Amino acid sequence: MPNNKTHKDPFYKSGTPWIWLNAGAVTISVIMVVGLLALIAVRGLGHFWPKTVYEIEYLNNDETVQVIGERVETEEVLKQRILESGIKVESDDELIKRSLIKVGNRDSLGVDFMLTVTPNEQKVTKPEDVLVLERTQWGNFYGFLKEIKSDNKVLSLYEDIKWQDLDERLNRVAELRERIEHIEKVEIGRINYQIEKLRLKQRGLEKDGVTNQEVFKPIEKARSEFNADYEVLKSELNSLYKEMSRDSITATIMGGKEVEVKLADIVKAYRPNTMNLLDKIFFYAKTFWGFITDDPREANTEGGIFPAIFGTVLTVLLMSVVVMPFGVIAAIYLREYAKQGFLTRLVRISVNNLAGVPSIVYGVFGLGFFVYIIGGTIDELFYSEALPSPTFGSGGLLWASLTLALLTVPVVIVATEEGLSRIPRAIREGSLALGATKAETLWRTILPMASPAIMTGLILSIARAAGEVAPLMLVGVVKLAPSLPLDGNAPFIHLERKFMHLGFHIYDVGFQSPNVEAARPLVYATALILVLVIVILNLAAIYTRNHLREKYKDLEQN
Amino acid sequence: MTEESSTSQLSVPEPLVFDQALWRRRSIKDIFARYLVGAGGIAVIGSIILIFLFLFMVVFPLFKGAAMYEVTNYSLKKVAADETLLYSIEEQAEIAMRLNNKGVVSFFNVDSGELIESKELVANNDVHISSWAHLDAEKNIVALGLNTGQVLIFKHEYASNYKDDKRTIVPTISFPLGEEPIDLEIGEQALTSLAISENEDGLTLFVHTESGARLVNFEKASSFLDEDEATLELTSQVQLPYVDTPIKALISPERDWLYLLNKEGALAYYDIRSKDEPIHIEDVSVLDEGSMPTTLEFLIGGISLLLADDLGNIHQLFLVRGEDGTRHLTSIRKFKSGSAKISSITTEQLRKGFLVTDTDGNISIFHTTADRHVITKNIIDKPLAHLGIAPRSNKIIAEDVSGQVHVWGLDSEHPEASMKSIWGKVWYESYPEPDYIWQSSSASSDFEPKFSLTPLTFGTFKAAFYAMLFAMPLAICGAIFTAYFMAPKMRGVVKPSIEIMAALPTVILGFLAGLWLAPYIELNLPGVFTVLLLVPLGIFVASYFWWRLPEFVTSQITDGWQAALLLPVVLFFAWASLALSPWLEQVLFDGNMRLWLTDTMGVGYDQRNALIIGITMGFAVIPIIFSISEDAVFSVPKHLSSGSLALGATPWQTLMRVVLPSASPGIFSATMIGLGRAVGETMIVLMATGNTPVMDFSIFEGMRTLSANVAVELPESEVDSTHFRVLFLASLVLFIFTFFFNTIAEVVRQRLREKYSSL
């Protein structure tokens, strides 16, 4: 727009300040978007970087104590506020730096975090050999390795091979743990699944009034076989657990207390202060990979988020399978078959509006209609032997996907209709004039041309569905699902199972977990993964839309 | 397309062989596709409509009236002068109990009248019952006052036995204070009035005889060894200065209030928390002129009193704490059943409803919280005298004066719902005044559910208001600048990057708001307000400097890059305000603005408040408003603005006088869609507010919205209960709100499109 600014106009009258204020609104919006994404990225990615561990001689109420930990955050606070909170501090500055130190060792210290004020930090060092342990419970450990024990005997090792020996022993434990997990999850899981199936079969027969004990014999036999298998696995498990608890270490933590840590409890051990940049990058990649491929631990506050990623992707996939054909058919009906008049206009407005109906309303509908009415009926008809415990009569993968499909079907309809309306009339008429039937015209000409628009609609709906949490809270998402909805037991996909979800994971860990402070970095990382998934999907949608426009342009020119 | 030229190019066509079979196959396919698409399309559109219908279907029973239908009637075998005192029905509504004035308890089948068991409690012929009292049904305790100055207390209980999948219910009678009547040591004089109350600490009786009224107290003396072996010991007997014979006496369940109703309708109440020194508070008369009292009953829970008169009125009263801390018996509501004399009141056992019988033979059912007259049904053309209702409120047993027993079924699922109880101010029990309150459940069974959607709707609009307050200026001004002033190159980057905000999951925004923004703002409160002031000021100053700069500097940069130039300005002023925050706090607010707000201004401060919601939800709404308004401004035909500029108007004048008026319907529609989204947003409000249903518009207080409420409570609510249906009503309300806003927006947008296409 040409801006014929003339300096003859008085500043105010020319409207210049208003234009600039409008420009400011854009600037602020952009800053907020970029700032938000940067905040998530920095906090989410920073979580996996091995941080320097400090040893601080800290003056705590006239008493010098040793503090070992990572500096999480530093902020500037008024001196008065610090004094008000009952901390003695001597400084001439009005503003004082306060740091949040992650000291870990929740089992020994009771807390994960400590606040320090900089003037009271008398001496800060970065000890070379400080050891950080990620444990299966009680969070992180910070301390100095003292000795390694095997079968309760202290090994006398030279300093230089101590660390190597520890690594070897940890690798052994990791292998054992993998084997145990395999047995517990896959093999015992399979047996439990079969036994439960037998139980239901028996109950179904009893319900049908079968009293002939002969009928139950094969069930009993199969059950005892499974139980025998189970016993074998159990004894193997026991010996593996015994093997695993062979080694331990003793170490001193802050304050000089000596503690013993079983190697079986250690997930990862590292010495961040000895790492060089390459080590750190390698460690970072490994931790990040672990984060997206591992199961959560300690009430979701530690470990990975694999089941949540898996649940999110599977729900969205199932949703796409449902939403795509139905959305497209509805759009074709509206645009190509239905008589265009007041009624279709009304329907079109309603469909448009439904895209703006709050998602929670769909969740309410899903719970009331899918879960209680349809699911309840299915249970009564086909799974009556399992009642009163519901099979399809409580939230699950299928109902969540259907709810999401209903939520996103307007998006697909609108996008497809737009695609259909962009196709010039001449193409339809040409096809019909050549003798093709309406169905052939649609199938061979119109749909291929509209396919990019359909894809855009689908991707937009996937992006929306992946970020929805509120409706899922009502129809089947849980904080911790015992098993994935996809496994090796026939029929392989278990549509009635409850599942985990990235978005709900964020809500749950960030707001419902007992130790929010410790879990916070993990939530940032989870949020980052979710944002990445959604941004990628959206960029794909934008790219497809541009592609469609290019194609449309070509057509017009011909 | 030119058809002639294309045909002329064709070479001589080969003769077409018309393949009949192929043609038929193709037409069948065509018809099949037509039906498939038709069916599929209608099914999808139908299922969308189903959402609305389904929500409505679930909500509908809330406002459906109750129904009563006759099951049977029969007459019970009686001896001469056998008069019924009390009917009671057990949980499964199979067995009823009848107590008569001879002290005979008989259990009989409700549906057939067949006697199952009967027991004479008073064997001696000289002893008869002169007064009686009973405790609410869950306890099933009845006290009988005898003409010998003694009291007999018994309990009727029902045990269910299962044998061969068949249930049999066995009634039993037990005597918690012994089978022998308790002697109150007042000599042989008839007890003319009696009241009883019992809780885990002990038991209190009120007795009235010719020689006056007295309060008798028993405390539980628990044995050291076994809690169950606790025995009751008489601890005090106090004479009350009350002369009349009360028509009804009641003691509250916690044994701290005594109510006495006399023949003139004066209701006297005593504070008996100190058992040795009962304090007479006052006498109240609430009856209308010329009417006489008939009976007095507790509503379930023992807080409200129901006082009936002979003109068909029932008054609800309870103790209301005044401003000075003292409690006064206050008339809360008045119900009217008809004009006949009310003969008895029976209260429902699981909710705050009650039934009355009158001398015209009607049964009327009311619900107190909902202030609702549920139903009136004429049973028979004779006066009704006694009434019993099953605990689940599904069966009623009534006796008329001729001794005929009528059994009626009752279908009254949701008497507690009415327009008034859901949207209006309701005076709940123990509250000082009528109020809007949402409190759906509690641990105790005699809890009065408070289903007012008003505070939730208020919260919803409060959240939406602050969000729009934040979002509208930024989004609309931004859209105007982007569409009208911004350099096309920059627009290509800015528009998609703001639009991508729309795809950010709100759960992430909510999480950041709750865990990062809320604590940050709490710490830097003055800074946040300084940002609001300093950043616009900074932009203004920057624009002035730019304007004053000599031409050769400004001409280096083409117009339409102001937004980029402002980047450092905005960042600097924002940083400066936040850095100033602690100093400002020190100087202006004594170092703690939060405390200052609470102490000096008297404004409460929640960490997760409407300010946080406004910013975060505003952030979620900005891209929607921005995107649609930008489209509206951008698609204003270029010849309009060019014409205006050519006539010598400045760009700003052109914008204000030409472009904006044409684009304003589009901007309005964008605002409506944004509002619709803000109203329905769930995760942000769930995570970034305290979720307390308060009605306070303060920016520093939190709120609870309809959507968050549904998300929190629906998974735990019992299917088809009133609570469940009210939550569905909440979602229906949300649905209607958003549908309304979106329809307006859509209609306006379509009009606009038509207008542009004609220009």
Side-chain angles (χ1 to χ4, degrees):
Chain A
M1 195 57 39
N3 190 350
N4 304 327
K5 188 171 65 187
T6 49
H7 282 222
K8 281 170 219 155
D9 281 343
F11 169 65
Y12 186 77
K13 213 181 159 194
S14 69
T16 315
W18 302 115
I19 295 173
W20 280 77
L21 274 180
N22 283 346
V26 178
T27 316
I28 293 169
S29 304
V30 171
I31 287 177
M32 285 199 311
V33 184
V34 176
L36 181 98
L37 292 178
L39 179 78
I40 297 173
V42 168
R43 300 230 173 177
L45 290 172
H47 171 50
F48 306 109
W49 193 252
K51 287 183 201 71
T52 312
V53 178
Y54 295 93
E55 186 181 356
I56 304 166
E57 273 177 32
Y58 186 67
L59 191 68
N60 191 10
N61 288 337
D62 302 329
E63 202 182 327
T64 306
V65 290
Q66 182 195 25
V67 174
I68 302 174
E70 295 168 3
R71 220 182 269 277
V72 181
E73 274 179 346
T74 305
E75 58 189 356
E76 289 194 324
V77 189
L78 278 178
K79 185 176 159 188
Q80 187 192 343
R81 276 215 181 170
I82 288 179
L83 291 175
E84 273 170 13
S85 61
I87 294 167
K88 282 186 198 166
V89 65
E90 276 173 35
S91 166
D92 299 331
D93 294 334
E94 272 302 303
L95 277 181
I96 286 178
K97 274 195 180 151
R98 184 169 70 179
S99 317
L100 186 68
I101 309 268
K102 182 174 181 181
V103 293
N105 296 322
R106 205 186 317 146
D107 45 345
S108 314
L109 302 173
V111 287
D112 270 307
F113 292 91
M114 216 179 127
L115 281 171
T116 62
V117 285
T118 310
N120 287 2
E121 291 177 8
Q122 293 176 327
K123 192 179 158 204
V124 181
T125 53
K126 291 188 250 180
E128 274 282 294
D129 53 350
V130 65
L131 179 67
V132 182
L133 301 177
E134 215 183 298
R135 297 177 295 178
T136 53
Q137 31 181 341
W138 300 113
N140 276 8
F141 168 94
Y142 301 90
F144 297 100
L145 178 66
K146 217 174 152 212
E147 50 208 9
I148 301 174
K149 281 183 182 176
S150 183
D151 281 329
N152 280 326
K153 277 192 238 54
V154 177
L155 303 177
S156 46
L157 293 166
Y158 290 111
E159 197 62 24
D160 52 342
I161 62 158
K162 196 165 82 179
W163 296 112
Q164 205 185 341
D165 185 68
L166 181 64
D167 278 348
E168 272 163 20
R169 282 166 198 276
L170 281 172
N171 281 340
R172 175 176 163 273
V173 168
E175 274 164 27
L176 287 171
R177 186 180 294 128
E178 214 163 272
R179 174 79 191 126
I180 287 174
E181 264 174 21
H182 181 77
I183 290 176
E184 282 182 341
K185 278 233 162 116
V186 182
E187 298 184 20
I188 293 185
R190 186 180 56 84
I191 289 174
N192 282 340
Y193 184 77
Q194 300 294 351
I195 289 180
E196 174 65 12
K197 255 173 117 176
L198 288 175
R199 187 185 74 84
L200 291 179
K201 196 171 161 195
Q202 184 172 359
R203 232 183 119 203
L205 287 172
E206 280 167 2
K207 256 200 154 150
D208 292 342
V210 178
T211 47
N212 186 357
Q213 288 304 313
E214 284 303 310
V215 184
F216 294 117
K217 283 243 166 88
I219 296 178
E220 279 302 325
K221 192 163 163 261
R223 184 179 302 161
S224 57
E225 273 169 23
F226 283 125
N227 278 335
D229 286 354
Y230 175 72
E231 287 305 321
V232 172
L233 287 175
K234 213 174 136 191
S235 64
E236 190 186 342
L237 265 186
N238 278 340
S239 64
L240 283 173
Y241 271 119
K242 218 170 158 187
E243 281 276 291
M244 213 164 97
S245 60
R246 188 190 71 182
D247 300 339
S248 63
I249 57 166
T250 51
T252 47
I253 61 167
M254 67 184 245
K257 194 179 157 193
E258 194 171 298
V259 290
E260 185 169 339
V261 184
K262 284 214 162 89
L263 290 200
D265 294 337
I266 298 175
V267 181
K268 203 183 285 161
Y270 58 101
R271 287 172 293 149
N273 294 0
T274 57
M275 285 181 173
N276 58 30
L277 186 66
L278 205 67
D279 287 340
K280 282 189 176 176
I281 291 173
F282 186 68
F283 178 89
Y284 181 87
K286 219 170 118 187
T287 327
F288 191 80
W289 180 247
F291 178 65
I292 56 177
T293 53
D294 282 350
D295 283 350
R297 298 194 314 267
E298 294 202 53
N300 294 350
T301 57
E302 298 275 344
I305 52 166
F306 178 70
I309 298 180
F310 189 82
T312 312
V313 171
L314 195 61
T315 330
V316 167
L317 278 182
L318 273 175
M319 177 220 72
S320 322
V321 169
V322 179
V323 83
M324 172 106 152
F326 282 105
V328 171
I329 284 180
I332 290 177
Y333 174 74
L334 269 181
R335 179 63 57 182
E336 306 284 329
Y337 283 95
K339 206 186 262 172
Q340 303 297 314
F342 176 71
L343 199 69
T344 30
R345 213 183 119 162
L346 201 72
V347 168
R348 204 162 280 142
I349 290 185
S350 311
V351 168
N352 257 330
N353 282 356
L354 278 170
V357 166
S359 54
I360 186 81
V361 174
Y362 289 95
V364 170
F365 175 78
L367 180 74
F369 188 73
F370 290 140
V371 176
Y372 288 144
I373 293 190
I374 305 216
T377 317
I378 290 178
D379 272 6
E380 263 168 41
L381 294 178
F382 304 110
Y383 297 93
S384 60
E385 69 273 11
L387 286 174
S389 69
T391 311
F392 278 98
S394 80
L397 185 63
L398 177 66
W399 303 137
S401 309
L402 285 184
T403 307
L404 286 182
L406 207 58
L407 177 91
T408 51
V409 87
V411 179
V412 177
I413 295 180
V414 170
T416 310
E417 264 213 87
E418 201 175 308
L420 290 175
S421 70
R422 276 168 189 273
I423 295 169
R425 239 181 111 82
I427 287 181
R428 283 189 190 84
E429 285 166 355
S431 169
L432 291 173
L434 286 171
T437 61
K438 196 164 184 181
E440 284 162 351
T441 308
L442 262 177
W443 187 249
R444 301 268 170 82
T445 326
I446 309 286
L447 275 187
M449 282 179 67
S451 59
I454 298 174
M455 286 308 294
T456 317
L458 183 68
I459 291 169
L460 280 178
S461 69
I462 288 177
R464 170 147 191 214
E468 280 300 346
V469 179
L472 297 184
M473 285 165 69
L474 301 180
V475 291
V477 83
V478 284
K479 56 193 299 174
L480 193 64
S483 44
L484 292 178
L486 202 64
D487 62 18
N489 302 317
F492 306 116
I493 179 155
H494 303 275
L495 291 175
E496 79 285 359
R497 279 195 191 159
K498 300 201 182 289
F499 59 99
M500 292 171 71
H501 187 275
L502 279 175
F504 186 71
H505 198 77
I506 294 173
Y507 169 64
D508 176 63
V509 179
F511 289 82
Q512 316 274 14
S513 79
N515 195 357
V516 173
E517 194 61 40
R520 195 180 295 189
L522 208 85
V523 188
Y524 277 107
T526 314
L528 180 71
I529 302 275
L530 186 55
V531 169
L532 279 182
V533 169
I534 286 165
V535 166
I536 289 170
L537 288 172
N538 270 282
L539 288 180
I542 290 168
Y543 174 78
T544 323
R545 190 165 52 193
N546 294 345
H547 189 70
L548 160 80
R549 282 183 184 158
E550 287 299 309
K551 205 165 182 174
Y552 172 63
K553 245 182 217 162
D554 292 346
L555 253 163
E556 230 176 8
Q557 282 157 3
N558 288 342
Chain B
M1 217 173 261
T2 50
E3 282 158 36
E4 279 155 65
S5 63
S6 54
T7 39
S8 64
Q9 283 167 4
L10 282 177
S11 55
V12 181
E14 285 186 27
L16 279 170
V17 183
F18 192 71
D19 186 341
Q20 195 88 35
L22 179 68
W23 173 244
R24 183 171 301 151
R25 268 209 310 278
R26 286 173 60 203
S27 3
I28 289 174
K29 264 192 200 164
D30 189 44
I31 293 166
F32 179 72
R34 175 186 306 264
Y35 282 111
L36 185 80
V37 171
I42 291 173
V44 171
I45 293 160
S47 68
I48 289 172
I49 295 166
L50 180 76
I51 299 176
F52 179 77
L53 282 183
F54 178 76
L55 291 180
F56 191 75
M57 251 167 53
V58 176
V59 170
F60 180 69
L62 273 185
F63 300 103
K64 210 172 67 179
M68 278 173 75
Y69 50 92
E70 181 161 21
V71 178
T72 179
N73 69 77
Y74 45 78
S75 57
L76 286 174
K77 237 180 259 168
K78 289 186 173 181
V79 290
D82 173 352
E83 203 185 296
T84 307
L85 297 180
L86 175 71
Y87 278 114
S88 168
I89 308 178
E90 53 75 42
E91 179 92 29
Q92 306 298 334
E94 283 179 20
I95 295 176
M97 184 214 73
R98 175 175 175 265
L99 170 71
N100 73 4
N101 61 340
K102 303 286 179 201
V104 177
V105 175
S106 44
F107 295 99
F108 60 97
N109 187 303
V110 176
D111 293 333
S112 64
E114 191 188 325
L115 187 72
I116 293 168
E117 196 189 332
S118 99
K119 182 162 180 152
E120 246 178 291
L121 299 178
V122 188
N124 194 331
N125 268 343
D126 294 337
V127 180
H128 65 263
I129 295 168
S130 54
S131 61
W132 63 281
H134 75 114
L135 278 182
D136 71 28
E138 230 169 272
K139 289 180 174 166
N140 282 345
I141 288 176
V142 183
L144 303 174
L146 307 176
N147 59 344
T148 54
Q150 292 168 311
V151 175
L152 179 64
I153 295 172
F154 76 91
K155 193 170 178 176
H156 51 109
E157 286 167 299
Y158 306 86
S160 295
N161 293 332
Y162 287 89
K163 202 179 171 191
D164 297 336
D165 279 347
K166 253 197 90 176
R167 185 184 59 210
T168 46
I169 297 170
V170 182
T172 50
I173 285 185
S174 62
F175 299 90
L177 272 87
E179 211 157 332
E180 283 302 307
I182 310 156
D183 195 24
L184 296 177
E185 297 159 16
I186 48 172
E188 264 206 30
Q189 42 181 339
L191 301 178
T192 46
S193 184
L194 179 68
I196 181 172
S197 179
E198 182 253 354
N199 65 3
E200 58 270 21
D201 301 327
L203 185 141
T204 301
L205 292 174
F206 165 82
V207 292
H208 184 270
T209 60
E210 277 176 349
S211 62
R214 60 179 64 213
L215 201 63
V216 186
N217 207 47
F218 298 84
E219 294 295 330
K220 207 164 264 179
S222 58
S223 134
F224 282 107
L225 293 170
D226 191 355
E227 196 69 24
D228 293 337
E229 274 180 28
T231 50
L232 285 171
E233 277 171 15
L234 198 147
T235 49
S236 67
Q237 282 219 43
V238 186
Q239 195 84 22
L240 289 174
Y242 193 81
V243 200
D244 296 340
T245 307
I247 12 180
K248 188 83 186 192
L250 289 172
I251 304 171
S252 68
E254 287 306 311
R255 304 192 297 144
D256 41 15
W257 297 92
L258 168 70
Y259 305 94
L260 303 170
L261 176 69
N262 77 1
K263 288 189 192 75
E264 276 74 47
L267 190 53
Y269 60 104
Y270 293 77
D271 180 348
I272 55 167
R273 274 173 289 196
S274 157
K275 300 290 179 292
D276 298 328
E277 293 169 54
I279 308 158
H280 176 229
I281 307 288
E282 63 179 336
D283 286 9
V284 288
S285 299
V286 294
L287 290 185
D288 302 338
E289 198 82 6
S291 62
M292 298 305 276
T294 55
T295 184
L296 182 74
E297 283 296 339
F298 273 131
L299 199 61
I300 185 79
I303 296 168
S304 289
L305 293 163
L306 299 166
L307 172 60
D309 70 12
D310 59 348
L311 297 177
N313 298 313
I314 306 103
H315 298 264
Q316 184 193 359
L317 306 101
F318 54 74
L319 291 168
V320 175
R321 193 185 285 273
E323 271 170 26
D324 53 351
T326 58
R327 290 183 223 205
H328 292 279
L329 201 55
T330 313
S331 175
I332 305 298
R333 293 181 192 92
K334 188 173 149 189
F335 303 90
K336 192 155 178 67
S337 74
S339 51
K341 177 183 168 185
I342 287 173
S343 47
S344 74
I345 299 178
T346 309
T347 50
E348 289 191 55
Q349 292 167 24
L350 292 175
R351 55 197 185 200
K352 305 272 176 187
F354 65 96
L355 300 86
V356 298
T357 57
D358 66 21
T359 48
D360 280 352
N362 297 319
I363 292 179
S364 303
I365 305 176
F366 299 91
H367 194 273
T368 53
T369 317
D371 198 0
R372 186 168 163 193
H373 183 164
V374 181
I375 193 173
T376 292
K377 200 89 186 175
N378 186 263
I379 304 293
I380 194 164
D381 288 335
K382 288 175 196 158
L384 287 171
H386 302 283
L387 189 69
I389 183 165
R392 290 180 189 168
S393 298
N394 49 4
K395 215 168 244 184
I396 298 169
I397 184 166
E399 188 190 313
D400 63 30
V401 282
S402 65
Q404 190 81 0
V405 174
H406 306 266
V407 179
W408 282 63
L410 170 62
D411 257 337
S412 171
E413 290 298 320
H414 309 290
E416 53 271 76
S418 68
M419 282 320 265
K420 198 174 169 218
S421 69
I422 289 174
W423 295 108
K425 264 191 180 174
V426 177
W427 201 336
Y428 297 103
E429 286 184 343
S430 309
Y431 277 74
E433 58 191 5
D435 207 349
Y436 302 107
I437 289 171
W438 173 273
Q439 192 188 0
S440 56
S441 56
S442 130
S444 78
S445 65
D446 53 14
F447 164 78
E448 184 175 29
K450 300 166 184 69
F451 290 132
S452 178
L453 289 182
T454 313
L456 304 180
T457 312
F458 177 87
T460 305
F461 281 104
K462 179 184 169 190
F465 171 80
Y466 284 111
M468 295 306 276
L469 203 65
F470 180 77
M472 268 171 62
L474 281 179
I476 295 176
C477 291
I480 291 171
F481 185 82
T482 311
Y484 193 69
F485 295 107
M486 193 180 276
K489 218 174 185 178
M490 191 178 171
R491 182 172 176 265
V493 179
V494 166
K495 203 184 172 199
S497 69
I498 293 184
E499 276 173 339
I500 223 162
M501 271 164 81
L504 268 185
T506 50
V507 67
I508 291 180
L509 296 180
F511 144 71
L512 286 175
L515 291 186
W516 177 76
L517 189 66
Y520 184 82
I521 286 190
E522 191 186 10
L523 266 182
N524 298 290
L525 205 50
V528 173
F529 287 98
T530 329
V531 168
L532 292 181
L533 200 75
L534 270 192
V535 169
L537 200 74
I539 294 170
F540 191 82
V541 170
S543 74
Y544 185 72
F545 273 109
W546 188 256
W547 186 74
R548 287 299 297 270
L549 277 180
E551 188 91 32
F552 69 87
V553 182
T554 53
S555 61
Q556 294 296 309
I557 293 168
T558 40
D559 268 320
W561 285 89
Q562 286 99 324
L565 290 175
L566 280 174
L567 213 60
V569 178
V570 171
L571 282 177
F572 171 78
F573 279 97
W575 171 81
S577 338
L578 291 175
L580 268 177
S581 176
W583 305 108
L584 278 176
E585 198 159 18
Q586 184 82 301
V587 175
L588 294 176
F589 307 112
D590 280 345
N592 195 334
M593 183 166 172
R594 234 195 103 155
L595 263 178
W596 179 83
L597 274 174
T598 326
D599 294 349
T600 317
M601 301 296 287
V603 183
Y605 187 92
D606 277 348
Q607 192 196 45
R608 294 177 184 172
N609 54 35
L611 178 65
I612 313 287
I613 290 296
I615 294 174
T616 318
M617 203 144 81
F619 189 90
V621 173
I622 283 176
I624 296 167
I625 305 182
F626 174 85
S627 179
I628 302 172
S629 324
E630 209 265 356
D631 280 344
V633 176
F634 195 72
S635 57
V636 171
K638 290 285 165 290
H639 57 258
L640 291 183
S641 47
S642 311
S644 162
L645 290 169
L647 288 171
T650 62
W652 180 251
Q653 283 168 331
T654 309
L655 175 75
M656 292 307 284
R657 309 268 169 85
V658 179
V659 177
L660 274 192
S662 331
S664 56
I667 295 174
F668 171 77
S669 135
T671 314
M672 281 290 129
I673 290 177
L675 185 63
R677 166 116 192 234
V679 162
E681 178 46 49
T682 311
M683 290 319 284
I684 293 179
V685 278
L686 189 62
M687 295 160 96
T689 70
N691 283 315
T692 38
V694 289
M695 298 253 293
D696 187 336
F697 208 71
S698 158
I699 194 169
F700 299 116
E701 295 266 7
M703 78 287 282
R704 188 185 188 115
T705 67
L706 287 168
S707 53
N709 185 57
V710 170
V712 170
E713 294 191 2
L714 192 58
E716 271 130 48
S717 95
E718 187 195 333
V719 180
D720 290 348
S721 64
T722 307
H723 181 208
F724 184 81
R725 292 188 197 277
V726 170
L727 290 175
F728 267 74
L729 177 65
S731 18
L732 185 66
V733 168
L734 266 182
F735 185 93
I736 292 171
F737 279 161
T738 46
F739 210 84
F740 174 73
F741 292 135
N742 287 342
T743 307
I744 294 181
E746 190 60 32
V747 169
V748 167
R749 206 150 51 146
Q750 287 205 355
R751 286 251 174 93
L752 190 70
R753 210 172 288 154
E754 276 161 28
K755 197 174 94 187
Y756 283 158
S757 62
S758 68
L759 273 174

